[in-house]
Amino acid sequence: MQRKATWTAIVLALVTGAGWLLMGNSKPKENTPSTRPVTTERGHVQVSNAPIQSVDVTSKLELLGRPFNKSPYANNVWDMQLYNGKIYLGHGNSSNMGPAQNAGPIPVIYFDILNAQFQTQTVTNSSPSAIPSSRMFVDEEQIDIYKVLNGKLYIPGHDSDGESWEWGDFYRLDGDEWIKYRNLPKGVHVYDLAYYQGKLFAALGTETKPTVLISHNEGETWQFFGTINSMGFRAYTLFQINGKLYASAMMYPANNIWNDKTNLLEINERLEKRDVVVYGSKMLPGLTYQQGTVPYNKIGKNINFNNKLVYIAGGVFNDSQLLPKSLNVMTDINQVRRVNLTDSNALPTDLLVRGDKVYVLTYTRKQANVYLNRVYQTTDLTTWDEVLRFTQDTYAKSFEELDGDFYFGLGTDPDVLSPSSGKLLRVNRADIPVNSN
């Protein structure tokens, strides 16, 4: 998604955004571990101490396949998550508008690194009264993100496919089978999950207010915890910093039209809650509202590193997707600085932590069907060094890493629709100087 979105994308975003913001939700809703050692997911990898030098790996990329059978926009690889030697892949589209609107149900597909093949896993309902009890997909329009919480792998129920608005879903991997739990009250959208102080928390989009639920028994049952005194109806993101958990909804950037003041919901170690005032000018540094662009912004993918929060921020686009705009480092609430990469036009799409390093995946659109994709790394969140680059006819939406090999999932924009969307690529550590021995 370019920094200056095309008119088509802007109209799509504004029409969709205005619709759900003002009217709510419009559609009816009736392991085998790898032989390679994996210490922790998104954990540690040993790399060379040689001076950092970037390399163009375009000619070294290996096409592993394109496992999805949806149309290009629904083939976006929204997320990649390493777990027990497998890379789980998100795809689909939850938007009520085209292209590929309401693209569910979505199969749970992973790439088995040891056997170099794609597999689909079974999903079973936790309730024995549900019929059919097992199937080869989740009942969602989109798998947007996977979460590893307390050592277990979860899928938040992003937007249930053809089910009522009374309950929302989440899914947890049990052995080689996913268990579906349809038990989150009023969970029209379950956008995020977090594990904090031995409890599970869920961020919901509802028909009323951005809502947070709590579970005291690993998700077997859920109770209302609180709402975010913010704009819209959707709680998008849960994150931790300085020992506290926060739930965030929409934010306005700095502007001369609306007040950029809003609130987060703060949860402390005693599970006490309070509203915390935040400002778009501080939480979205460097972003300002430009007439004709998307005014609604949110915190997207984020990781914790060295007692700080690193996160991607951008516009709420095509209903609930993220239009990336900036990479940021937070030391505390309202204490945020923007990361300036060597290419000021590079847009961040994904983040990884590996031991004492953070990696960010970015892209720059050079011209029609020519995208320069880069990976940068840092050890101090101040100096970011480019370690590899490659050119494709579209951009990499997400990435993963194991033992120095990098994996990339390609995506596309609704006004471009690249046929390469959904491809999974790999580059070997031997072809990356900073990772090779």
Side-chain angles (χ1 to χ4, degrees):
M1 297 156 187
Q2 307 91 288
R3 188 176 299 276
K4 294 183 179 179
T6 64
W7 179 249
T8 302
I10 292 169
V11 171
L12 178 62
L14 291 176
V15 171
T16 305
W20 59 254
L21 179 63
L22 298 175
M23 297 180 291
N25 302 279
S26 59
K27 69 180 176 184
K29 296 279 182 179
E30 286 274 345
N31 317 335
T32 303
S34 168
T35 56
R36 298 177 174 182
V38 181
T39 55
T40 59
E41 303 309 331
R42 300 185 186 264
H44 177 69
V45 61
Q46 294 182 349
V47 298
S48 169
N49 290 322
I52 295 174
Q53 55 180 310
S54 181
V55 61
D56 189 327
V57 298
T58 304
S59 64
K60 305 295 184 179
L61 289 171
E62 175 187 3
L63 174 61
L64 300 176
R66 187 173 59 186
F68 313 138
N69 60 5
K70 306 289 184 180
S71 56
Y73 191 71
N75 284 342
N76 263 297
V77 189
W78 301 110
D79 193 33
M80 301 172 68
Q81 176 63 62
L82 176 66
Y83 189 79
N84 286 348
K86 305 175 178 69
I87 298 178
Y88 285 83
L89 308 169
H91 72 295
N93 179 31
S94 62
S95 175
N96 296 346
M97 299 181 65
Q101 66 267 31
N102 300 326
I106 304 298
V108 183
I109 297 175
Y110 66 81
F111 179 71
D112 185 329
I113 296 174
L114 178 61
N115 297 306
Q117 57 185 216
F118 295 97
Q119 298 285 352
T120 303
Q121 283 182 315
T122 301
V123 180
T124 299
N125 284 292
S126 61
S127 171
S129 62
I131 299 175
S133 61
S134 294
R135 54 190 72 186
M136 300 305 292
F137 49 80
V138 295
D139 297 308
E140 308 296 328
E141 310 288 10
Q142 176 175 331
I143 298 177
D144 184 64
I145 193 169
Y146 293 88
K147 302 293 297 254
V148 179
L149 304 174
N150 197 30
K152 299 176 182 179
L153 187 60
Y154 291 78
I155 300 173
H158 189 79
D159 185 5
S160 62
D161 175 50
E163 297 178 297
S164 74
W165 290 3
E166 183 178 0
W167 302 99
D169 310 326
F170 81 95
Y171 305 78
R172 181 166 53 217
L173 185 61
D174 182 7
D176 197 42
E177 178 182 59
W178 287 89
I179 307 300
K180 174 186 176 180
Y181 296 85
R182 183 162 178 76
N183 60 0
L184 291 93
K186 308 303 180 182
V188 179
H189 304 283
V190 184
Y191 285 123
D192 204 0
L193 296 169
Y195 187 81
Y196 177 71
Q197 297 296 314
K199 315 295 182 183
L200 277 176
F201 289 83
L204 303 188
T206 73
E207 292 186 275
T208 55
K209 294 182 178 180
T211 299
V212 176
L213 302 183
I214 186 172
S215 174
H216 300 273
N217 52 11
E218 302 292 326
E220 294 295 330
T221 59
W222 295 85
Q223 293 82 42
F224 172 84
F225 183 82
T227 58
I228 309 173
N229 185 18
S230 181
M231 298 173 288
F233 308 136
R234 302 181 178 191
Y236 288 110
T237 308
L238 297 165
F239 64 87
Q240 294 185 46
I241 189 167
N242 294 333
K244 297 175 182 177
L245 178 68
Y246 293 88
S248 66
M250 288 194 307
M251 302 178 191
Y252 283 136
N255 65 88
N256 296 319
I257 305 173
W258 310 285
N259 193 333
D260 67 342
K261 177 182 175 181
T262 187
N263 293 278
L264 302 178
L265 182 67
E266 180 187 270
I267 306 163
N268 67 19
E269 297 91 335
R270 296 181 296 278
L271 302 184
E272 298 166 334
K273 62 188 177 185
R274 70 182 182 108
D275 288 335
V276 175
V277 174
V278 294
Y279 299 89
S281 56
K282 297 181 182 296
M283 300 292 286
L284 308 169
L287 300 188
T288 57
Y289 175 70
Q290 304 296 322
Q291 188 171 2
T293 63
V294 179
Y296 318 119
N297 287 262
K298 67 176 181 176
I299 292 174
K301 291 187 177 180
N302 59 88
I303 54 96
N304 289 102
F305 183 78
N306 286 354
N307 300 315
K308 299 178 179 65
L309 185 79
V310 187
Y311 64 93
I312 297 169
V316 182
F317 175 75
N318 195 17
D319 191 18
S320 65
Q321 319 301 356
L322 182 72
L323 182 72
K325 296 179 181 178
S326 65
L327 177 65
N328 305 281
V329 175
M330 177 191 296
T331 55
D332 205 346
I333 301 302
N334 285 320
Q335 297 179 17
V336 183
R337 61 178 173 82
R338 183 170 180 169
V339 172
N340 295 312
L341 300 172
T342 52
D343 179 358
S344 61
N345 293 316
L347 298 176
T349 58
D350 204 0
L351 292 162
L352 291 176
V353 177
R354 288 294 182 265
D356 63 348
K357 297 179 177 62
V358 172
Y359 294 97
V360 61
L361 173 65
T362 73
Y363 76 90
T364 305
R365 188 178 185 184
K366 309 300 287 187
Q367 60 189 62
N369 302 321
V370 179
Y371 293 79
L372 180 59
N373 299 272
R374 293 184 176 97
V375 173
Y376 293 86
Q377 77 169 35
T378 183
T379 58
D380 58 10
L381 302 182
T382 299
T383 302
W384 296 75
D385 297 299
E386 180 185 321
V387 297
L388 66 84
R389 61 173 61 194
F390 60 92
T391 302
Q392 291 287 288
D393 61 353
T394 189
Y395 64 93
K397 177 77 74 174
S398 56
F399 72 149
E400 257 295 356
E401 182 277 343
L402 179 62
D403 293 342
D405 297 345
F406 277 96
Y407 299 78
F408 301 95
L410 301 188
T412 191
D413 292 333
D415 57 338
V416 177
L417 295 180
S418 169
S420 293
S421 179
K423 288 182 178 178
L424 187 67
L425 308 176
R426 175 170 61 191
V427 60
N428 190 279
R429 68 176 299 164
D431 296 314
I432 308 170
V434 72
N435 279 2
S436 61
N437 291 320

